[in-house]
Amino acid sequence: MLHVLYLVHDVSDPAVRRRIIMLKAGGARVTLAGFRRTQELEDVEGLTPIDLGMTRDGRFAQRLGAVAMAATRIAASLKSIAVPDVILARNLEMLALAQRARSAFSSSVPIIYECLDIHRLVLREDFLGRGLRGAERLLGRNVSLLLTSSPAFVSHYFERFSQIDAPIELVENKLLELEPRPDSGPAPASPREPWKIGWFGALRCRKSLELLADFTRGTDGRFELVMRGRPALSEFPDFHGFVESEPHLAFKGAYRNPEDMADIYSQVHFSWAIDFFEEGQNSTWLLPNRLYEGCRFGTVPIAMAGTETASFLERHKIGLVLAEPSVVALTEALSDMTMERYEALHHAVLARDPATWICDRSDCRALVVRLERVAAENGAPGAIAA
C-alpha cells in the first residue's frame, strides 16, 4: 500500500479533507502533518494530524515565521512515522518543508507539489514576488510531479514563468461521489420566485457580496442570495452585520463536503461561480469547486466573461456569463427569468455527462496509481510499481 506523507498549510481546510478521502479511496495510506488555524487540533477522516504549529489567515509574515520554526523541528515532528513512499506538499510553504522532511528521512523520497491556487504575492513584479518565484523554481528542482486544478494555471503561470520543470497532472476540483447517487434525494428547487442564488464555499470576495446585495435589493425580493461555507472575515469589515442588514441575503453557516452537497444545492436555482478576490490573476484562471458541485445537482452556474470558468461554460453550452461585473449586467442576465427559461437552463446542465462534474472511485484509484508510478520511478522505499 502506497504511503503518502501529506504536508498541508491548514489541516482544517475542507479541500484537505477531500484530498485525504480521495487518496484513501484510491488505496493509499496517509499520514497528515500541517499547520492549524485554531487552538484545538481535530482529527481529519480518522487521522490525527502531526501538529506543525499555528498560523493565521492573511498574515503572510506570521506564516513565514511559523514555517521557519517548523523547519527547525521537522525531524523531531516526523520521527515516529515510517519513511513514506511519496511526500505530497500542498502550497509553496509546504514545498519548502517537504525538502527538510526528505532530508530528515535521509532518503530520496519523491516530492509531489500540489498547487491549486496561484497566490497574488508570487505574481508581483517587485522584490518580494521575484523572490518567491525564485524560491519556488529552486525548490521545484526536486519535484517529481505537479498537481494542479486548472489548465489556465499552467499556461498563465507555470509555463509563463518557467516555474516547475516536472510532469503535470490536472486534477480538477470535481465533487467526490464515491458511491452511485440514489435516484431519490432532495427535490430540486421549484422553478419559481423568489429565485435563489447560492454562493457556497470559501467566501472571500467583498466585491461579489456588495454586487449581489445591490442586485437583490433592487429586485424587490424576486431574487435572494443564500451563502454557506467559511467567510474570510479578514476580507470583510463586518460580514455578519452586513448580511443581517440586507433584506434578501442569508448566511446559513458551514456544511460538509461532499455529504451535504445534494441538500444545499437543492435549495437554490443558480450557483455564483464568480470570484473577484484576485481579479485578473488567480480568480480569472481557476475552475472553482462550486462550478462542479452546483452543476452536479442541476443549478445554473453564473460566470464572468474573460475567465477560465466562462470558457468552460461556453464549451459545454451551459450557464450564464456576465459581460461585466455590474448590477446592470446581472440584471440583463436574470431580470427576464421565467419558469420556462429556467427549466431550459436547468435541463441543459443536467444533460451533461455526470463524469464532467464528479470524481468517483475509479478517479481516486487513477490518482493513486499515478503517485505509485512516481514512487516506483524514483525508487522510493516500499514503492508499488504500477
Side-chain angles (χ1 to χ4, degrees):
M1 177 180 286
L2 186 80
H3 178 198
V4 179
L5 171 60
Y6 195 16
L7 300 177
V8 304
H9 68 299
D10 177 7
V11 295
S12 64
D13 186 339
V16 167
R17 176 175 177 261
R18 290 198 303 274
R19 182 66 78 230
I20 291 171
I21 294 173
M22 192 173 179
L23 291 169
K24 292 173 70 174
R29 177 165 66 95
V30 182
T31 297
L32 176 64
F35 294 98
R36 54 188 163 80
R37 299 283 172 87
T38 59
Q39 293 295 334
E40 298 297 325
L41 189 64
E42 297 183 355
D43 287 2
V44 182
E45 285 303 302
L47 304 178
T48 300
I50 297 170
D51 186 9
L52 299 181
M54 186 173 180
T55 58
R56 292 180 172 80
D57 187 31
R59 299 280 297 277
F60 180 68
Q62 189 272 334
R63 284 171 65 175
L64 280 181
V67 170
M69 181 65 69
T72 66
R73 57 179 187 238
I74 193 72
S77 297
L78 301 177
K79 66 180 180 180
S80 63
I81 73 167
V83 178
D85 297 310
V86 296
I87 299 173
L88 179 57
R90 185 179 180 88
N91 292 355
L92 179 55
E93 62 260 50
M94 307 316 294
L95 182 58
L97 283 182
Q99 310 288 341
R100 297 298 298 267
R102 180 160 71 171
S103 297
F105 291 124
S106 300
S107 171
S108 58
V109 181
I111 295 172
I112 298 168
Y113 182 27
E114 182 182 40
C115 184
L116 307 184
D117 288 291
I118 310 300
H119 198 282
R120 62 187 180 275
L121 291 179
V122 304
L123 293 165
R124 288 168 49 159
E125 289 301 336
D126 58 7
F127 176 79
L128 176 59
R130 290 192 296 271
L132 289 173
R133 290 196 300 274
E136 186 179 55
R137 281 193 295 271
L138 180 64
L139 296 169
R141 292 177 183 176
N142 293 324
V143 166
S144 297
L145 181 69
L146 169 66
L147 299 183
T148 193
S149 58
S150 171
F153 290 157
V154 178
S155 58
H156 289 284
Y157 179 69
F158 289 109
E159 290 181 348
R160 175 188 170 192
F161 292 105
S162 301
Q163 286 302 103
I164 304 292
D165 184 19
I168 299 172
E169 189 78 13
L170 186 67
V171 183
E172 295 174 80
N173 291 313
K174 295 183 179 183
L175 175 69
L176 273 175
E177 197 168 292
L178 301 183
E179 304 299 335
R181 189 164 64 93
D183 292 335
S184 61
S190 299
R192 63 171 182 264
E193 298 181 14
W195 300 108
K196 294 187 178 181
I197 302 170
W199 182 20
F200 303 151
L203 308 177
R204 59 184 183 177
C205 179
R206 181 176 175 181
K207 184 173 178 178
S208 285
L209 181 63
E210 293 175 348
L211 171 59
L212 288 162
D214 290 344
F215 168 72
T216 56
R217 198 184 320 114
T219 65
D220 294 324
R222 285 191 64 217
F223 288 85
E224 298 176 354
L225 174 66
V226 178
M227 292 173 285
R228 296 178 186 264
R230 301 201 310 175
L233 300 180
S234 60
E235 302 299 326
F236 302 100
D238 180 11
F239 175 81
H240 295 288
F242 182 89
V243 171
E244 289 173 3
S245 71
E246 289 291 332
H248 308 299
L249 268 57
F251 174 64
K252 298 191 175 182
Y255 57 89
R256 283 172 63 84
N257 185 339
E259 293 87 345
D260 298 336
M261 293 293 99
D263 181 47
I264 67 174
Y265 278 102
S266 72
Q267 300 175 37
V268 299
H269 302 96
F270 303 92
S271 174
W272 187 254
I274 296 174
D275 186 350
F276 303 107
F277 181 65
E278 292 174 351
E279 197 171 359
Q281 298 177 344
N282 188 72
S283 295
T284 301
W285 305 333
L286 57 73
L287 291 173
N289 297 312
R290 57 178 69 98
L291 167 65
Y292 301 92
E293 296 163 359
C295 288
R296 175 56 177 138
F297 300 106
T299 59
V300 178
I302 303 172
M304 181 58 56
T307 65
E308 186 69 15
T309 304
S311 297
F312 183 98
L313 297 186
E314 289 162 357
R315 288 195 301 274
H316 289 280
K317 297 181 173 57
I318 60 173
L320 299 169
V321 176
L322 306 186
E324 62 180 19
S326 68
V327 171
V328 171
L330 192 52
T331 301
E332 289 177 353
L334 294 175
S335 62
D336 63 347
M337 191 59 57
T338 62
M339 289 188 292
E340 293 75 18
R341 184 183 176 210
Y342 179 78
E343 287 281 13
L345 291 166
H346 170 68
H347 286 297
V349 175
L350 290 179
R352 306 305 306 174
D353 183 345
T356 308
W357 319 120
I358 67 169
C359 169
D360 61 17
R361 286 191 182 275
S362 65
D363 297 310
C364 297
R365 182 58 192 154
L367 174 61
V368 172
V369 166
R370 184 70 180 92
L371 303 192
E372 288 173 346
R373 189 175 301 120
V374 170
E377 289 169 352
N378 289 271
I384 304 170

